[in-house]
Amino acid sequence: MNILEFGAHKGAFCGEAIQRALDAAAAQGGGRVTVPAGEYLTGSLVMRSHVELHLEAGAVLRFTDDFDAYPIIDTRWEGYEQPSYRPLIYAREERDVSITGLGTLEGQGKKWWEAFRAGTLSAARPCLIGLERCERVCLADFKAVNSPAWTLHPLCCENVRISGVTVVNPADSPNTDGIDPESCRNVRISGCHIDVGDDCIAIKAGTEDARQAVPCENITITGCTMVHGHGGVVLGSEMSGSIRRVAISGCVFDGTDRGIRIKSRRRRGGSVEDVSVTGVVMNDVLCPLVINLMYFCGKGGREAFVSDPAAYPVDGGTPHVRRIRMADIVVTGARSAAACLYGLPEAPLEDISIVNTQIHLVEAEPDYPVMNARQKPVTLSGLTAEHVRGLHLADLRIVGARGEEITLRDVQ
């Protein structure tokens, strides 16, 4: 099916015509809906089961920045259950959902970013693509630009494949993560290029306030390039449902603030465990390897308990990080520190390995390698580990550190 057959016209608003095409394909049991070369203006679209939205080369779906074109729905945003404008492309409880092709999704996020900063929005900003409780999802080959908020957000989905997608959002755009699988199972991300204003890929599992603590598990990330952004691949800080069995390999980070980043805090609960990072190359990063259990950003992050150095009772809100292996990593141009591994006195990090890794530091203006209230700006700092049980370092070379290359506090 071609959207032109349903009344779409180049250069005109075609939201109703495109939705009619998607609905017609679903009514006949599924099929492909093609967007031919040209530019088409649309509002929020709802995907259906067994339907593929295919963007031909040269096709541009430009989403209107009229907020009224996006109904407010109840969903999860930044780990919390709250009202949100419906994603630009949305699906809930559908199967065999596909968005493919060499075309472009233009989110026109500028007006959303301005309204967010001004505090004038009635609900949370929409993701560009939000898929909730869907099975067998394929997102492939298209380009997504200027998302109002997170760009690709599968939530509580199973069997998700994201391949060959390019995501580009301005460096100063707020919360415009690239790919955020949240509470999903069996996710494969490969061959993507991400250049955004927040984390490039962020794996999440909800917060302590989410209605259901659903894990995010069985995640592979291979062959991706990530430039700019706050973190290359980030696990957390929303991880109350737990994140487990994650394999990251063959990726390049260039200009991200942090490289591999695990973050959480007290009262989040859950665990991050069984993570493998191999064959990664980084350049021009603040700190390539970060584990921080006193992360202070977001709702409640400035409460005193978050960064209190005293030990707290271990309970269901205590976060845990265990069995993290990082190997065969090459880093040039690390501007702040080589690595920061910060557990909690009541919940030390467990079984952390850094093997066959080279980290080359360069002097720069002092900056914060991790985001917690106890960290001070540094440059040319080596590896610092605090509250760790089972730290394994082998064939680790740190070049250019000022002072001690390795600093250990309460570490076995």
Side-chain angles (χ1 to χ4, degrees):
M1 295 182 179
N2 190 305
I3 63 170
L4 301 181
E5 300 169 4
F6 292 83
H9 296 280
K10 297 177 183 179
F13 187 86
C14 307
E16 294 88 350
I18 298 171
Q19 190 64 60
R20 283 197 299 270
L22 295 170
D23 294 344
Q28 69 174 21
R32 170 182 280 192
V33 173
T34 299
V35 181
E39 185 171 302
Y40 308 87
L41 186 65
T42 182
S44 179
L45 300 172
V46 178
M47 295 294 297
R48 307 300 187 190
S49 291
H50 315 300
V51 174
E52 174 189 358
L53 178 63
H54 181 76
L55 308 169
E56 290 188 342
V60 178
L61 278 186
R62 180 178 296 274
F63 290 86
T64 178
D65 58 8
D66 178 0
F67 301 163
D68 292 337
Y70 303 91
I72 293 176
I73 62 173
D74 289 326
T75 186
R76 189 188 296 178
W77 166 242
E78 292 196 326
Y80 298 95
E81 312 292 341
Q82 58 185 299
S84 171
Y85 290 92
R86 195 170 73 189
L88 281 52
I89 298 180
Y90 179 65
R92 179 182 172 85
E93 297 180 351
E94 306 288 352
R95 305 185 69 183
D96 299 322
V97 174
S98 298
I99 304 171
T100 66
L102 296 174
T104 298
L105 301 174
E106 166 58 76
Q108 293 206 110
K110 183 178 180 181
K111 186 176 174 182
W112 292 100
W113 309 328
E114 292 172 348
F116 167 74
R117 292 185 176 110
T120 57
L121 290 171
S122 301
R125 286 168 291 153
C127 299
L128 198 152
I129 297 177
L131 307 174
E132 189 171 348
R133 302 186 184 281
C134 295
E135 294 184 34
R136 292 202 300 269
V137 171
C138 174
L139 307 175
D141 300 329
F142 58 84
K143 184 176 184 179
V145 300
N146 297 319
S147 177
W150 294 351
T151 309
L152 311 182
H153 181 211
L155 170 63
C156 295
C157 294
E158 187 165 352
N159 292 328
V160 177
R161 178 170 67 88
I162 304 173
S163 63
V165 172
T166 296
V167 178
V168 179
N169 299 314
D172 63 348
S173 55
N175 313 111
T176 56
D177 293 18
I179 303 173
D180 287 25
E182 181 172 5
S183 296
C184 292
R185 179 178 173 84
N186 302 335
V187 178
R188 302 169 300 285
I189 301 171
S190 63
C192 294
H193 176 77
I194 306 170
D195 181 352
V196 293
D198 207 319
D199 293 329
C200 294
I201 296 176
I203 302 169
K204 301 177 180 291
T207 66
E208 64 275 22
D209 289 346
R211 284 192 294 266
Q212 290 181 298
V214 178
C216 202
E217 58 190 3
N218 302 351
I219 316 294
T220 64
I221 301 169
T222 59
C224 294
T225 54
M226 305 174 212
V227 299
H228 307 121
H230 294 176
V233 177
V234 179
L235 290 80
S237 65
E238 301 95 310
M239 45 77 76
S240 298
S242 295
I243 297 169
R244 54 202 185 207
R245 295 189 294 278
V246 178
I248 304 160
S249 63
C251 294
V252 174
F253 306 159
D254 190 0
T256 63
D257 289 350
R258 285 99 192 157
I260 301 298
R261 184 185 190 193
I262 299 174
K263 55 183 182 178
S264 189
R265 60 169 171 262
R266 292 181 175 112
R267 299 190 184 171
R268 282 276 156 94
S271 63
V272 175
E273 58 191 24
D274 304 325
V275 177
S276 171
V277 181
T278 58
V280 171
V281 176
M282 305 186 199
N283 176 59
D284 187 27
V285 296
L286 280 176
C287 187
L289 307 174
V290 170
I291 304 177
N292 173 25
L293 294 190
M294 294 185 175
Y295 179 69
F296 68 4
C297 292
K299 180 180 177 182
R302 299 288 179 167
E303 298 288 341
F305 70 85
V306 172
S307 297
D308 191 337
Y312 279 54
V314 175
D315 57 23
T318 305
H320 297 275
V321 174
R322 56 176 73 96
R323 297 188 298 276
I324 312 296
R325 185 178 190 272
M326 298 173 276
D328 306 324
I329 297 171
V330 177
V331 181
T332 55
R335 292 178 278 115
S336 181
C340 293
L341 312 175
Y342 294 150
L344 296 171
E346 71 272 20
L349 311 179
E350 302 174 48
D351 298 327
I352 310 297
S353 298
I354 303 176
V355 177
N356 191 30
T357 292
Q358 293 189 20
I359 302 173
H360 295 254
L361 295 156
V362 294
E363 188 166 9
E365 287 294 319
D367 210 332
Y368 296 91
V370 300
M371 301 177 78
N372 69 40
R374 299 178 59 206
Q375 180 65 54
K376 299 186 184 310
V378 295
T379 187
L380 298 178
S381 181
L383 179 151
T384 301
E386 185 172 307
H387 305 309
V388 185
R389 297 293 177 264
L391 177 63
H392 176 69
L393 307 176
D395 297 321
L396 170 63
R397 186 180 182 204
I398 298 173
V399 179
R402 180 185 292 154
E404 295 294 330
E405 293 180 353
I406 297 175
T407 300
L408 307 179
R409 305 185 190 99
D410 185 30
V411 172
Q412 296 177 4

